[in-house]
Amino acid sequence: MRVLSIGEGDLLTALYEGMFEQPMWHGSIAALAAQTESSQAALIFRPIDGDEIMEFAHGGDLDKPVRDLLIARSDKAASLTGEMREGRVYMLEELKELRGHLDSPSSPVRRFFMRSVRISGSGGVEAWLTIGHHKDFKAADGALLANLVPHVRIALRSFIALERERFHSSVASTAFGRMNFGWLTLDARCQIVDVSPNMEQLFQRTGILRRGRYNRLMPASPSVDREISALVKEIANNPHHPPKAIHLSRDPWMDMLLAPAQKPVISGGAPPVAIAYVSGDRQSQADRCDQLVDLFGLLPSEARLAWQLAQGTSIAEAASMTGLSEETARNYSKKIYAKTGARGQPELVRIILTSVLAIA
């Protein structure tokens, strides 16, 4: 890999940082156009086994006839990618020759000068780095494209790896969200280091947990705040501390499992010492009871008892929580079982917790 000049080194910096720009690679493509005095420059790539084309251009999209020479979808054009030797810089006339035709003198592609190089990246991508102009290029411009090939390959490999991790993270986050799970990491002072996207939604939806001053995790309950703070200090002093469950709220229901952060995390601030897994209900008890009325045709008093029974409480405990006598609760429970089709409390728990209420 040849060492590039100082000006070309700036181009490499922009190339490696390009995947974090919006739009991506805007700076590096603009720098390439300036370095070669091109009116157009583009990085085009697509997966070998896919049809999606990603194009990042400066000076407008490539002229369509030129673009079609590179990425047309016909069988003949598909074979062109193999005929273009990787790392070799092609002129427009050479690409047309590979396609087996020449355009008429009036075709806009004939009046356009181009240099293009093909890059085969890992992970199944084909890429083309192209510059275009209405006057011919210098030999140094083609040499620059050739020298950029290994660097573009590295940038694309990093981009593909990053996109794969983003996809995996998105799938995991969606699954966590459907199960009403979220997570956050804490440093030794209970300051939030990182959170899952669904945890941010939980902050906004309830007041049970929130971000406090200096980004500190602030439970609504002072006693829970003291319990979490003390536990985080213990974990900071003992990374092998066993995980501990903490009850945060009954209405809406929410629990937390606080455990040591097992793997080191690269972060700009203090390292996390603990990870908190939070699980809870999106709805209040009153909302759930209203939904049970709609779903199973229960009376409001029956729905309140059914919800308590669905939490696994005994008939006596559920009666006390709903202000009913135990005898009345038993009579209500028979009506609840009949309306829901449950043959007992265990089946009632399954029916309610696996109904559409689970995703409401």
Side-chain angles (χ1 to χ4, degrees):
M1 189 182 296
R2 187 181 74 84
V3 178
L4 277 70
S5 67
I6 295 177
E8 294 170 342
D10 294 337
L11 180 57
L12 286 189
T13 300
L15 177 65
Y16 290 132
E17 292 180 347
M19 72 185 72
F20 304 107
E21 292 182 316
Q22 288 298 329
M24 289 187 292
W25 286 294
H26 172 78
S28 59
I29 296 169
L32 175 62
Q35 185 90 6
T36 58
E37 299 181 351
S38 306
S39 59
Q40 292 181 321
L43 173 63
I44 306 170
F45 67 91
R46 70 177 177 193
I48 293 176
D49 57 352
D51 291 331
E52 181 184 4
I53 297 170
M54 304 189 73
E55 181 174 353
F56 307 97
H58 171 79
D61 293 339
L62 286 177
D63 288 357
K64 188 177 184 304
V66 174
R67 189 175 185 273
D68 289 346
L69 280 174
L70 295 172
I71 56 175
R73 297 172 185 268
S74 69
D75 293 340
K76 189 172 184 180
S79 67
L80 176 60
T81 62
E83 294 173 12
M84 285 184 71
R85 195 168 72 243
E86 185 187 25
R88 181 188 185 283
V89 179
Y90 287 81
M91 295 187 292
L92 182 57
E93 290 73 15
E94 293 173 306
L95 292 178
K96 291 193 296 181
E97 185 176 348
L98 287 177
R99 284 289 302 273
H101 75 275
L102 291 176
D103 297 288
S104 63
S106 61
S107 171
V109 74
R110 179 170 287 278
R111 299 195 300 269
F112 195 77
F113 295 92
M114 184 184 77
R115 296 292 184 273
S116 185
V117 64
R118 170 178 163 256
I119 305 107
S120 290
S122 63
V125 296
E126 292 284 348
W128 299 267
L129 187 62
T130 303
I131 52 176
H133 201 42
H134 294 285
K135 65 177 183 179
D136 207 354
F137 291 98
K138 302 185 291 291
D141 298 327
L144 174 60
L145 286 188
N147 291 329
L148 286 174
V149 167
H151 302 283
V152 174
R153 189 185 299 116
I154 293 170
L156 287 180
R157 186 168 64 237
S158 301
F159 169 74
I160 292 167
L162 182 60
E163 285 300 294
R164 186 179 294 116
E165 289 305 313
R166 283 173 176 166
F167 173 75
H168 291 168
S169 176
S170 174
V171 171
S173 179
T174 300
F176 264 47
R178 290 185 181 278
M179 295 185 293
N180 295 331
F181 272 95
W183 60 263
L184 55 89
T185 53
L186 301 169
D187 67 13
R189 296 181 295 175
C190 270
Q191 291 180 329
I192 298 171
V193 178
D194 197 8
V195 299
S196 62
N198 41 344
M199 196 68 210
E200 290 286 8
Q201 296 170 7
L202 186 146
F203 284 152
Q204 298 170 9
R205 191 170 60 242
T206 75
I208 299 171
L209 295 173
R210 65 179 178 86
R211 290 178 182 269
R213 193 176 182 185
Y214 304 118
N215 213 32
R216 187 180 184 278
L217 178 66
M218 294 295 296
S221 166
S223 61
V224 171
D225 186 16
R226 290 191 294 271
E227 183 177 6
I228 292 176
S229 298
L231 184 55
V232 169
K233 288 180 181 178
E234 292 176 15
I235 291 174
N237 293 325
N238 177 16
H240 302 290
H241 194 288
K244 182 177 180 182
I246 300 173
H247 182 65
L248 300 178
S249 171
R250 177 170 289 278
D251 187 18
W253 163 73
M254 188 177 297
D255 289 333
M256 172 188 288
L257 182 69
L258 199 60
Q262 297 296 331
K263 295 183 179 180
V265 178
I266 299 174
S267 63
V273 299
I275 181 167
Y277 302 96
V278 180
S279 176
D281 197 354
R282 294 186 179 95
Q283 308 287 337
S284 68
Q285 180 177 315
D287 291 334
R288 289 308 191 194
C289 291
D290 289 342
Q291 291 163 359
L292 286 173
V293 169
D294 296 335
L295 190 59
F296 297 108
L298 302 178
L299 297 175
S301 55
E302 295 170 346
R304 288 191 290 271
L305 179 65
W307 183 250
Q308 293 301 331
L309 292 174
Q311 309 311 303
T313 58
S314 68
I315 191 74
E317 292 172 325
S320 175
M321 291 176 179
T322 54
L324 301 173
S325 68
E326 189 171 339
E327 181 181 358
T328 301
R330 292 190 183 279
N331 290 331
Y332 280 4
S333 67
K334 295 176 183 178
K335 297 178 182 178
I336 292 168
Y337 296 151
K339 292 179 180 180
T340 60
R343 288 171 292 186
Q345 187 175 358
E347 191 168 3
L348 178 69
V349 173
R350 179 186 63 79
I351 289 172
I352 290 181
L353 296 187
T354 60
S355 69
V356 291
L357 270 65
I359 59 173

